[in-house]
Amino acid sequence: MIESSDLRMTRIPLSHGAGHMPALGFGTLIPDPAVTITATRDALEAGFRHFDCAERYGNEHEVGKALEAGLAAGGIAREDIFVTTKLWNSNHRPQRVEPAFETSLARLGLKYLDLYLIHTPFAFQPGDDQDPRDQNGNALYDHDVTLLDTWKAMETLVDHGKCRAIGLSDISLNELKSIYESARIKPSVVQVEAQPYLPETELLEYCKEKGIVFLAFAPLGHGVRPGLLEDRVISAIAARVGKTPAQVLLAWAVERGTAVLTTPRSAARARENFDISPLPEDALDEINRIQTRQRLNEVVKTGVPGFIPQGR
Ligand SMILES: NC(=O)c1ccc[n+]([C@@H]2O[C@H](COP(=O)([O-])OP(=O)(O)OC[C@H]3O[C@@H](n4cnc5c(N)ncnc54)[C@H](OP(=O)(O)O)[C@@H]3O)[C@@H](O)[C@H]2O)c1
C-alpha cells in the first residue's frame, strides 16, 4: 500500500503496472437515475476519485453523464479518476464478453476502463434478460461455460488495451485460487463484502501475499439498522476520536490495507464519508476483536443480487 499522511489519499498499486487504485471508492449501486447523477457529482466534488459501476446497476449512462460534467466543471482529467465496471452473469459466454464491455464503455462515455470485473462467478443463461428464471422463479444457470472460459476472454480485453486491469467479485478463496493458478493475466482486484462482522481475514491474507487488491463493499453494513453503524464498539470509538461511526468504519477498512466502496447519496454524506483520518492503534485492535459474525449479502452463494438497497 502507498501510505499517505492523508488517509483519504491512500492509493494501492495494481499488479502488472496497471496504475493505482484510490483506496476510498464511491459505489454507484443507486436505484434512482436522478439520485445517481447528483450523488456521483457530489462524490466527485467531495474528493472521491474512484467510481465503481456495473452493467447490472442499470445506470452506467447516468454515471457517465455525471462524471463528464463533473470532470469538466472541476478541471479534473480522466486520468485522475479510476473507473470500474462489471460483466454481468448473463454475459459469461466468451463471445459475449467483448460486446458487453464495449456496451458498458459506450454507456459510460469513456475510452478505457481502469478495471473490469466479473461481477459474480455464476453464469446465467446467456441473453439480454439479466435475471432469467424458470417457471418456479429459480435462476437459470448456464452450465456450458466455466469461469476460466470467461476469464480468458477478460484477458483478451487487457491484450487489446481497452482495460488496464481485470478482476473478480463475489468470489470465494477457493475459486480465486483456482483462477489465479490457471490465469495468464492474474486477477488484479477482488471485490467482496467485508466489514468488521465479516472481516474475510483469510482471503485478505491471500490477496496480500499475491499482490491482489482486496476491495471491500458493505463497509457500513449496507446501512442496515440496527447494525454496524450502531455497534457499541464502533460508536464508543467514534465518540472518543470525534468522528462518526461511518468514518470509523471506513478508516478501519483503509488502515487494514483494503480498498473500500461506500455509497453516500447526499453531498453532506459524501463529505462525511470522504473525511477519514487514521485511528489510534488500540481502536483498530478493538475493532479487530469484535466477535459478531454476519454476512449481509447472499449474492456470493447464488449470483442473484442478495441485497436490495433501501428505497428500491
Ligand atoms: N460486487 C457486489 O456484488 C456488490 C454488492 C453490493 C455493493 N457493491 C458495491 O459497493 C458499493 C457500496 O455499497 P454498500 O451498500 O456496500 O455501501 P455502504 O456505504 O456500506 O452502505 C450504503 C448505505 O449506508 C448509508 N450511509 C452511507 N453513508 C452513511 C453515513 N455517513 N452515515 C450513515 N449511513 C450512511 C446509506 O444510506 P442513505 O441511502 O440514506 O444515504 C446506504 O443505505 C455499491 O454502491 C456497489 O458499487 C458491490
Side-chain angles (χ1 to χ4, degrees):
M1 180 181 19
I2 291 205
E3 294 290 350
S4 164
S5 54
D6 187 341
L7 200 61
R8 302 171 306 171
M9 300 301 167
T10 305
R11 296 181 340 130
I12 309 179
L14 294 164
S15 52
H16 318 296
H20 291 79
M21 172 188 279
L24 198 48
F26 173 76
T28 65
L29 177 49
I30 302 172
D32 185 303
V35 178
T36 300
I37 292 177
T38 54
T40 305
R41 281 290 297 270
D42 290 341
L44 195 63
E45 275 173 34
F48 284 91
R49 293 293 179 266
H50 167 179
F51 296 85
D52 179 79
C53 315
E55 57 171 312
R56 184 68 177 96
Y57 302 163
N59 60 1
E60 289 172 307
H61 179 72
E62 286 77 11
V63 175
K65 284 283 160 218
L67 288 178
E68 185 186 15
L71 294 185
I76 302 164
R78 164 68 183 91
E79 294 69 36
D80 294 336
I81 63 168
F82 186 102
V83 184
T84 303
T85 199
K86 313 187 192 83
L87 178 86
W88 183 239
N89 301 353
S90 47
N91 286 322
H92 275 214
R93 293 267 175 116
Q95 66 275 21
R96 295 183 69 85
V97 172
E98 189 153 353
F101 172 90
E102 292 291 352
T103 307
S104 281
L105 202 61
R107 276 192 297 251
L108 286 163
L110 297 175
K111 294 196 171 66
Y112 69 91
L113 279 179
D114 297 277
L115 174 66
Y116 198 42
L117 299 175
I118 300 181
H119 201 143
T120 88
F122 297 89
F124 285 172
Q125 181 179 280
D128 293 334
D129 182 357
Q130 291 190 332
D131 192 20
R133 303 270 176 164
D134 67 15
Q135 287 159 336
N136 301 318
N138 299 313
L140 284 169
Y141 293 95
D142 180 0
H143 299 292
D144 293 329
V145 61
T146 67
L147 190 58
L148 186 58
D149 295 334
T150 310
W151 185 257
K152 287 180 176 163
M154 299 283 283
E155 292 175 328
T156 307
L157 294 176
V158 179
D159 294 338
H160 291 174
K162 288 250 172 174
C163 168
R164 299 204 165 152
I166 48 177
L168 297 151
S169 172
D170 296 321
I171 190 138
S172 67
L173 178 55
N174 281 341
E175 288 165 318
L176 173 62
K177 281 183 177 169
S178 159
I179 292 292
Y180 187 89
E181 278 153 23
S182 312
R184 176 170 60 84
I185 300 176
K186 308 294 182 196
S188 291
V189 177
V190 164
Q191 181 182 129
V192 291
E193 175 180 346
Q195 29 87 0
Y197 295 168
L198 187 70
E200 293 283 24
T201 313
E202 208 185 338
L203 180 62
L204 177 58
E205 287 310 314
Y206 180 81
C207 287
K208 284 186 176 174
E209 184 192 314
K210 301 294 186 195
I212 301 169
V213 177
F214 181 110
L215 174 55
F217 72 76
L220 311 182
H222 281 326
V224 170
R225 289 171 191 266
L228 268 173
L229 287 162
E230 286 133 353
D231 180 275
R232 194 177 45 79
V233 172
I234 303 295
S235 304
I237 293 170
R240 203 164 84 220
V241 301
K243 288 283 185 181
T244 67
Q247 290 167 331
V248 169
L249 288 162
L250 294 168
W252 172 80
V254 175
E255 287 195 90
R256 73 196 288 252
T258 75
V260 66
L261 296 171
T262 183
T263 309
R265 296 197 227 186
S266 68
R269 284 253 170 100
R271 286 192 294 272
E272 175 186 339
N273 291 9
F274 192 71
D275 184 23
I276 59 168
S277 43
L279 298 171
E281 203 62 44
D282 60 344
L284 296 171
D285 290 344
E286 276 178 64
I287 300 174
N288 290 333
R289 283 200 303 271
I290 290 176
Q291 295 297 317
T292 307
R293 287 293 170 263
Q294 185 183 16
R295 178 185 294 283
L296 293 159
N297 200 313
E298 298 294 328
V299 63
V300 70
K301 295 181 181 163
T302 60
V304 176
F307 180 79
I308 309 296
Q310 287 157 17
R312 178 168 281 184

